[in-house]
Amino acid sequence: MSDVLQNTGGRDTGSGRGARSTERTQETGTARSVPVPAAEAPVVGTPAPESPGAESLAARAAALDAADPLAKRRDLFALDDGVVYLDGNSLGALPRHVPARMAHVVSHEWGRMRIRSWDESGWWTAPERIGDRVAPLVGAAPGQVVVGDSTSVNVFKALVGAVRLAGDDSRDEIVVDATTFPTDGYIAESAARMTGRRLVPVAPGDVPAAVGPRTAAALVNHVDYRTGRLHDLPGITAAVRDAGALAVWDLCHSAGALPVDLDANGVDLAVGCTYKYLNGGPGAPAYLYVAERHQARFDSPLPGWNSHADPFAMAPGYAAVDGARRGRVGTPDILSMLALEAALDVWDGVSVHEVRAKSLALTDFFLECVRAYVPEGRLTSLTPTAHAERGSQVALSCADAPAVMARLIERGVVGDLRRPDVLRFGFTPLYVGFADAERAARVLAEVCAEADAEAGVER
Ligand SMILES: Cc1ncc(COP(=O)(O)O)c(C=O)c1O
Ligand SMILES: Nc1ccccc1C(=O)C[C@H](N)C(=O)O
């Protein structure tokens, strides 16, 4: 196999802060700006393999799918056979059973039981009950995860909470991942201003060297949303804690795709969304993990009545409840929350280690197919080749990425674009298979060839 892709390994360049100006312009998702094929009219059939080596790669894909213990899980999702959905790292697919469950919630629990449902349908306790369903997926023992609010809001609670837990005013710095998804950076900046700390943006790989006696907390992304690079959660957490500071992780791009092992790694606080690999639905509530050892001292900057020890006493003074519930704020978004609860059923009987093994096999295979089909130098992979540094997405860059992604989506291969030049392909092991990966690479090669032909470029 020739070395077709130039691999930059998604290296931490330390230049993320400066480079961020473009990413700070939010891309709302390519799927919203280019036509998505109608569900009833899939545009990708099963094209005859014409690319070099396509027959053998297609045959390998079929064999890998046949041997895949997770292959059957795909039937649990509403997906179109003609579409390769590689955008589950932005919005996970709908588990088929969720609409019926939601119809029941709306028509029965809300429609008929009305106010009684807060108690009798378990609405009031949903945040901590569903937190305990998310917990095993992130390696947390029960009682440490609460579901609710957006990831952004939970970043705020976790980071200000961490600074307060650090206590000591001489710890006057907050270290933040300089390559972070923008919302975390914006909120960290505000949290720093509010708590009178100085923000220190550094690349994740440089966090161990940057933390010291002045650090209160460090906020890092487990997987980079742009490159798909997996950061060293055990090593960075240990370094932050050795410095006497608190480690706060954003798990948006790792939970449900790979083992996180929060408890085993001694993470202090963590947040994540549930609409990507956990398939909770658009705007599904996020979650907050507060390690048990910190809960008694966790001082939420948003002490709403839902985290009061006796909310219905409606007392004028605040008294925090114990445990994970201390992360609650106001009335939970019950419809989204119960959709998430139902969606989590697809994880029953699935081990996250099995998911990780398939995720790595899928991204390896996709990269191999891209190398085989796409002319050398056409695309640059930003995704590290080392498994220990790879999440569950492949990011490829090329100057004409916007046009390439628009054409891919028109032809039923749905990834997304991160401006200016990144094609993102998310591999969600519960419903993406090896034939999907092969087909996506083949269509990508066709689309690149078409764009080259139109531009008069010969390779
Ligand atoms: C790493 C990361 N953090 C946070 C968010 C977003 O947070 P919110 O759920 O508040 O929109 C995303 C994606 O939207 C993300 O990728
Ligand atoms: N929540 C969204 C709503 C609309 C469009 C995209 C998103 C995303 O989640 C983007 C994602 N966090 C990313 O890694 O780019």
Side-chain angles (χ1 to χ4, degrees):
M1 204 61 58
S2 64
D3 189 20
V4 172
L5 297 172
Q6 298 164 268
N7 194 301
T8 64
R11 296 242 179 281
D12 290 337
T13 58
S15 62
R17 212 66 190 169
R20 246 172 34 160
S21 56
T22 337
E23 283 113 51
R24 275 180 184 274
T25 315
Q26 286 263 351
E27 185 70 57
T28 51
T30 312
R32 288 166 57 166
S33 51
V34 298
V36 177
E40 303 74 35
V43 285
V44 176
T46 312
E50 281 162 11
S51 321
E55 251 167 88
S56 62
L57 286 168
R60 281 225 348 256
L64 287 163
D65 281 330
D68 170 17
L70 292 174
K72 279 261 146 244
R73 294 268 152 179
R74 181 189 169 96
D75 299 344
L76 300 178
F77 292 88
L79 289 162
D80 309 308
D81 284 342
V83 173
V84 180
Y85 189 66
L86 301 180
D87 219 353
N89 55 339
S90 188
L91 178 65
L94 169 71
R96 284 183 197 278
H97 66 284
V98 170
R101 166 74 182 133
M102 291 318 291
H104 176 81
V105 169
V106 171
S107 62
H108 180 74
E109 296 183 10
W110 178 16
R112 304 195 56 196
M113 293 180 66
R114 291 175 291 274
I115 196 76
R116 284 161 52 206
S117 275
W118 282 111
D119 287 327
E120 293 173 35
S121 304
W123 288 359
W124 188 264
T125 50
E128 50 271 20
R129 179 178 74 244
I130 304 170
D132 279 345
R133 297 277 310 273
V134 171
L137 296 169
V138 294
Q144 300 175 102
V145 178
V146 69
V147 168
D149 309 311
S150 63
T151 315
S152 305
V153 170
N154 282 302
V155 167
F156 177 75
K157 293 182 225 170
L159 200 52
V160 175
V163 171
R164 290 178 176 178
L165 282 165
D168 186 349
D169 279 350
S170 65
R171 292 192 174 271
D172 60 355
E173 293 178 352
I174 296 176
V175 170
V176 65
D177 177 348
T179 59
T180 186
F181 185 82
T183 208
D184 301 45
Y186 306 154
I187 287 169
E189 198 273 329
S190 175
R193 250 186 307 134
M194 281 179 48
T195 57
R197 262 67 183 179
R198 192 171 75 88
L199 197 63
V200 183
V202 299
D206 296 335
V207 169
V211 292
R214 294 183 61 176
T215 314
L219 170 66
V220 191
N221 289 268
H222 197 190
V223 172
D224 184 288
Y225 78 101
R226 206 169 147 275
T227 61
R229 185 186 180 95
L230 171 64
H231 297 128
D232 174 14
L233 182 144
I236 294 173
T237 302
V240 172
R241 292 191 60 196
D242 284 351
L246 285 97
V248 184
W249 286 90
D250 181 329
L251 311 176
C252 281
H253 285 270
S254 58
L258 50 97
V260 178
D261 295 331
L262 291 176
D263 287 350
N265 288 306
V267 167
D268 296 295
L269 297 106
V271 302
C273 71
T274 62
Y275 46 70
K276 301 185 196 296
Y277 296 93
L278 301 182
N279 312 302
Y287 55 91
L288 170 70
Y289 163 90
V290 180
E292 212 250 317
R293 65 183 177 282
H294 292 309
Q295 288 178 352
R297 289 183 52 239
F298 176 65
D299 179 7
S300 172
L302 293 172
W305 75 293
N306 272 230
S307 61
H308 194 282
D310 187 2
F312 288 92
M314 314 229 173
Y318 181 75
V321 71
D322 288 339
R325 287 180 297 172
R326 198 172 281 196
R328 289 180 62 160
V329 185
T331 308
D333 183 348
I334 291 297
L335 298 183
S336 286
M337 208 165 265
L338 298 187
L340 166 64
E341 183 173 37
L344 290 170
D345 289 351
V346 300
W347 292 93
D348 289 351
V350 175
S351 122
V352 84
H353 294 278
E354 195 176 26
V355 166
R356 174 62 167 162
K358 180 172 173 189
S359 155
L360 287 172
L362 277 171
T363 50
D364 275 346
F365 186 65
F366 177 68
L367 284 165
E368 182 184 340
C369 293
V370 173
R371 280 192 200 97
Y373 297 160
V374 180
E376 187 164 355
R378 180 67 172 86
L379 302 167
T380 300
S381 176
L382 305 178
T383 302
T385 43
H387 285 177
E389 296 173 6
R390 191 191 306 161
S392 200
Q393 82 179 37
V394 171
L396 304 174
S397 91
C398 58
D400 58 346
V404 168
M405 185 49 75
R407 283 173 196 255
L408 273 174
I409 293 173
E410 273 167 27
R411 300 184 54 176
V413 174
V414 180
D416 62 24
L417 172 77
R418 286 296 168 258
R419 282 184 275 172
D421 59 355
V422 178
L423 305 166
R424 286 198 330 176
F425 301 97
F427 288 86
T428 44
L430 294 190
Y431 56 78
V432 171
F434 293 89
D436 294 324
E438 191 275 337
R439 187 188 286 182
R442 185 149 34 87
V443 176
L444 175 61
E446 289 165 11
V447 156
C448 287
E450 274 169 30
D452 282 350
E454 279 170 29
V457 177
E458 275 190 39
R459 289 182 200 270

